[in-house]
Amino acid sequence: MYSYNLFRSTKPDGLVCAVPEERSVPSFVIEPNWQFGGRLESQEAPLGFDRKAAVEGVRFNGFYLFASFQKDRPGR
């Protein structure tokens, strides 16, 4: 199981890029369009995060991109 660094889109699209700590951050994750959103370990995941899909996404892409449905998202 991975520990992930989360990067949130600053746009109203709700996108989050989860990157395992031991992987490089994808080149498209740059300011001002993305901001660091914290660290995700084995505990509670954000609404919209699917652990099985994350494992597959990381396997093929090195990261997992998902839509977060949390209401407490900054900028809303």
Side-chain angles (χ1 to χ4, degrees):
M1 175 166 282
Y2 296 112
S3 291
Y4 295 91
N5 287 316
L6 301 178
F7 299 90
R8 298 184 182 280
S9 171
T10 57
K11 298 179 182 179
D13 53 19
L15 288 178
V16 180
C17 184
V19 183
E21 288 188 312
E22 60 274 0
R23 298 277 184 132
S24 298
V25 177
S27 60
F28 67 85
V29 177
I30 55 173
E31 291 184 330
N33 297 324
W34 294 86
Q35 65 184 18
F36 181 70
R39 186 171 182 237
L40 173 64
E41 294 185 49
S42 59
Q43 65 267 27
E44 189 174 319
L47 189 59
F49 186 88
D50 181 321
R51 291 192 186 280
K52 287 183 180 181
V55 169
E56 291 301 311
V58 169
R59 182 175 155 218
F60 289 105
N61 302 312
F63 61 90
Y64 170 54
L65 197 62
F66 68 100
S68 176
F69 300 104
Q70 288 185 265
K71 289 184 179 182
D72 62 343
R73 187 171 178 271
R76 280 195 160 175

